[in-house]
Amino acid sequence: MGFNSALADAGEFGLYQRLLCFVFLLTAIAYLSLSYWIQIFILMVPDHRCRDSPDPFSAASNGTKCGTTNFSANGSRNCPQGWEYDFSTLFPTAATENDWVCENAWRVYVVHTFYWVGSILGQLFFGCLTDRLGRKKTFCWVVLLSVLSNMGTIMAPDHMTFTAARFLTAFGISTISTTSFMIVMEYTGPRNRTIVLCTWAASWTSCAAMLPWIAYALSNWRWLLCVPFLPASILLFVSWWVPESASWLMTKGQVSKAAELLHKVAEVNGKNLSSQYFYDRLVSSTLESNGTKPEKKESFVQTSLGLVKYPNMRKKTFVLLISWLIIHLCYNGNSLQTSNLPFNIYVSFSVGAFLEIPVNMFCILSLDRFGRKWPDVICLYIGGILGIISGCISPNAEHEIFVMAMLVRITFAAGTNITFQYTAELFPTEVRGRGLSLQRMFGAIGSCLAPTVVFLAEIDRLLPMLVLGCLSLVAGSLIIILPETTGHQLPHTLEEGEKFGAHENFCSIFSSKKKNEIDECGAKFGRDNLAADVPEGTQGVFILTAKETEAKL
């Protein structure tokens, strides 16, 4: 591709990309992670008993969680004087402050439901805007909306206002992950995209591990909601410097703006190349790819339908959406199970988050060597098997249950991280924003279903982990259908996305770096299928590896 060649000239992971990755992306995911886990913490409910019980937390007390036995009336009644909460295990939350327990427990469920509905709709709405208005503008809007909504949550006077504020928070914040990840990845060469993923995962993991102790130190749900304001302020401050995606500008025909941005990248990376050089390079490669035929512009709706219009794109899209829904359901279901473990809630959440650090190291060491597909499949298969085994452990084996829950979390976290990068590499630039947002929307649907699966423990303790284990095996089996992406340039147009992996067979199972093996796969699903009007050797060939790209430069 002409753009990938020009990006290689500007520098695929120089100082400019490092600043984007380690300042912008790191802060954006920190904001996302804090907001995600805070939603869980501010609605937790500790052990509680009726306030008019003689000894509220005594096992011998007549008091119960949702009523007090009135022996003179020979019946039961609700707690007329409210509830006493055991704050020795958890700080006061919005649920305890408003007594959203017992007959009012449905209010917590409504808040969670509307939060994830907001996430689903936000992904759909802002995902379209990222491809229509650009990555940068959309990102600034979603950060501002989520900050204002968080402030609204703090000042909410009643349940309806509180629910509406959480809906708007999720509506805005859900797109921060995909938009920031796209901006950084679309400026990064194929050999360094794993670093972007690991930065994403490291920021998420570290914030998830720290948040329980931040909550413990603050011991106030309103102050806890103020914590994300720090990374949000940094994001709004640096947004003037964050560039629009030059790759996205190319799909909109704004070659001169894309050339200026690539010149800026080259300048920061210490390369003395002019804007005119990049403009000439991009224009010549565009003309070379299109031949003498005038480019036919498709409408926004037509390009959106391209995700399901063409057979190969349709197959990849459906597989990615269904597998991501299942993976998100498994990851969030396992996270919700953490609060039910027989250990201190702060310790359980922190240990679970810290154990994801080895997952990040695994991604760094394996993805570029063994590819995306098979590490992803193996992790999901192992998680499925461990989930089924953990569902068969005796309820009295508390330590074994804790260890198995942590091991399952590691494998589900690995599957989540790998699949997220895998998806971003498979969707072409032209519809990547819509594709990733659609994927995140399906992930939010999976998150909505996770509490239902966890609730199966009320029927049988074995059911949740058995269900999650079986679903993980299904997701792993679906991922096998997808083509390998390691070492390949990102597809830009729908045509390139349709050709990518169209005739691929198991020669891509292992992402060998030997040139002859790569060429064998390339001949099958790329070079031999190019349109007749594309000259041989053009940079429009989208399956070039990094080494091949350098050779052509």
Side-chain angles (χ1 to χ4, degrees), residues 1 74 224 227 238 259 278 297 308 480 491-492 506 511:
M1 294 176 189
N74 193 26
L224 187 61
V227 172
V238 303
F278 288 108
K297 292 288 184 181
V308 294
I480 296 177
H492 283 262
F506 283 101
S511 182

Side-chain angles (χ1 to χ4, degrees), residues 165-385:
R166 298 315 296 162
F167 172 87
L168 290 175
T169 300
F171 187 78
I173 205 169
S174 58
T175 317
I176 288 177
S177 171
T178 53
T179 309
S180 58
F181 188 77
M182 278 190 295
I183 291 175
V184 178
M185 192 187 66
E186 288 173 353
Y187 276 103
T188 304
R191 289 176 298 179
N192 302 105
R193 291 199 295 259
T194 301
I195 298 176
V196 179
L197 169 66
C198 293
T199 302
W200 191 102
S203 182
W204 174 275
T205 301
S206 57
C207 289
M210 291 187 297
L211 183 65
W213 303 108
I214 296 174
Y216 178 80
L218 295 176
S219 294
N220 184 293
W221 68 272
R222 285 187 174 86
W223 282 111
L224 187 61
L225 277 170
C226 293
V227 172
F229 289 164
L230 177 60
S233 301
I234 297 174
L235 287 175
L236 292 173
F237 177 75
V238 303
S239 61
W240 63 270
W241 171 78
V242 175
E244 182 53 84
S245 169
S247 179
W248 174 81
L249 290 172
M250 284 290 294
T251 65
K252 296 298 179 181
Q254 302 181 40
V255 180
S256 59
K257 290 184 179 180
E260 291 175 3
L261 287 174
L262 288 176
H263 166 66
K264 184 179 179 181
V265 172
E267 191 176 36
V268 175
N269 287 342
K271 298 192 176 184
N272 187 22
L273 298 171
S274 65
S275 298
Q276 188 62 41
Y277 170 83
F278 288 108
Y279 180 81
D280 294 340
R281 188 71 181 274
L282 294 174
V283 169
S284 62
S285 64
T286 302
L287 292 175
E288 191 177 43
S289 297
N290 294 334
T292 59
K293 296 181 180 180
E295 185 180 358
K296 182 181 179 181
K297 292 288 184 181
E298 291 186 322
S299 68
F300 186 79
V301 175
Q302 286 176 317
T303 55
S304 298
L305 293 176
L307 288 169
V308 294
K309 179 179 179 181
Y310 307 106
N312 189 38
M313 282 297 302
R314 180 168 58 247
K315 178 189 72 174
K316 291 186 289 187
T317 299
F318 285 155
V319 169
L320 288 169
L321 295 182
I322 296 172
S323 61
W324 185 250
L325 184 151
I326 296 173
I327 292 169
H328 236 249
L329 191 159
C330 292
Y331 180 80
N332 284 280
N334 182 261
S335 298
L336 289 174
Q337 278 283 85
T338 304
S339 61
N340 297 325
L341 294 177
F343 288 88
N344 180 281
I345 191 168
Y346 301 107
V347 174
S348 297
F349 267 91
S350 293
V351 171
F354 274 121
L355 285 176
E356 291 187 18
I357 295 177
V359 173
N360 302 337
M361 297 303 299
F362 168 78
C363 292
I364 293 175
L365 298 175
S366 67
L367 293 192
D368 286 335
R369 179 179 294 271
F370 301 109
R372 278 47 160 162
K373 176 162 61 175
W374 289 102
D376 198 5
V377 171
I378 291 171
C379 286
L380 292 172
Y381 274 178
I382 293 175
I385 294 170

Side-chain angles (χ1 to χ4, degrees), residues 12-77:
E12 294 182 325
F13 202 72
L15 177 60
Y16 193 91
Q17 286 90 347
R18 291 189 181 99
L19 288 173
L20 276 178
C21 187
F22 301 133
V23 177
F24 171 62
L25 182 63
L26 201 71
T27 308
I29 303 307
Y31 179 49
L32 174 71
S33 179
L34 290 171
S35 301
Y36 172 85
W37 294 108
I38 282 174
Q39 168 68 13
I40 296 177
F41 271 88
I42 64 173
L43 291 173
M44 284 184 175
V45 178
D47 191 20
H48 53 281
R49 295 293 186 272
C50 285
R51 184 170 286 138
D52 56 356
S53 299
D55 184 7
F57 301 107
S58 172
S61 172
N62 289 331
T64 65
K65 286 188 174 183
C66 297
T68 302
T69 303
N70 187 336
F71 293 102
S72 61
N74 193 26
S76 296
R77 58 184 172 86

